[in-house]
Amino acid sequence: MNFPKELKYTETHEWIKVDGENAFVGITEFAATHLGDIVFIEIETEGENLEAKEAFGSIEAVKTVSDVYMPVSGEVIEVNQAILDDPALVNKDCYGDGWLIKIKINNPEELNNLLDAQAYEAIAKE
């Protein structure tokens, strides 16, 4: 499995890629693989300010539905339209075109509470 070193991770299998005061958020390859074929994604939080660990949407796979959570507090400023149109994109390219949301980070210090690639990989292999 792939765990890009430039990303930060949550214990609930989300990743975050910081881009200035904004960041992209998605689910990890581990999560996408364990969910299986993703068939529907619901994200109705665009424009909302959410706290870290608060659900911002849900992902439906063939056999299960899973909430997705904010890695840090921030405002959801964009939802990736491509994954709403083609949810399987998350399975195909979870760290690239399969990102879920773009956020404006409220408190950059919260990034220090997240896992680096090595720590996340240890959790994913448990």
Side-chain angles (χ1 to χ4, degrees), residues 32-65:
T33 300
H34 280 76
L35 284 170
D37 293 335
I38 296 171
V39 296
F40 183 72
I41 298 173
E42 182 176 43
I43 302 172
E44 297 180 347
T45 51
E46 189 168 356
E48 293 183 25
N49 257 299
L50 301 173
E51 296 297 317
K53 300 182 181 180
E54 192 172 351
F56 66 80
S58 62
I59 295 178
E60 184 176 334
V62 175
K63 296 181 180 178
T64 189
V65 176

Side-chain angles (χ1 to χ4, degrees), residues 7-77:
L7 304 178
K8 293 282 200 166
Y9 300 88
T10 68
E11 292 181 5
T12 53
H13 312 292
E14 291 83 18
W15 59 261
I16 184 167
K17 179 181 179 184
V18 178
D19 181 20
E21 64 181 26
N22 297 328
F24 292 91
V25 177
I27 63 167
T28 65
E29 183 179 351
F30 176 86
T33 300
H34 280 76
L35 284 170
D37 293 335
I38 296 171
V39 296
F40 183 72
I41 298 173
E42 182 176 43
I43 302 172
E44 297 180 347
T45 51
E46 189 168 356
E48 293 183 25
N49 257 299
L50 301 173
E51 296 297 317
K53 300 182 181 180
E54 192 172 351
F56 66 80
S58 62
I59 295 178
E60 184 176 334
V62 175
K63 296 181 180 178
T64 189
V65 176
S66 181
D67 286 336
V68 280
Y69 301 95
M70 294 286 285
V72 296
S73 59
E75 179 186 354
V76 179
I77 57 176

Side-chain angles (χ1 to χ4, degrees), residues 4-9 14-26 71-73 77 95 99 101-115:
K5 295 193 183 331
E6 70 274 12
L7 304 178
K8 293 282 200 166
Y9 300 88
E14 291 83 18
W15 59 261
I16 184 167
K17 179 181 179 184
V18 178
D19 181 20
E21 64 181 26
N22 297 328
F24 292 91
V25 177
V72 296
S73 59
I77 57 176
Y95 298 120
W99 59 274
I101 60 172
K102 184 176 181 181
I103 65 171
K104 182 175 182 187
I105 299 172
N106 288 346
N107 182 359
E109 289 184 14
E110 290 180 354
L111 293 164
N112 297 327
N113 300 331
L114 301 176
L115 305 168

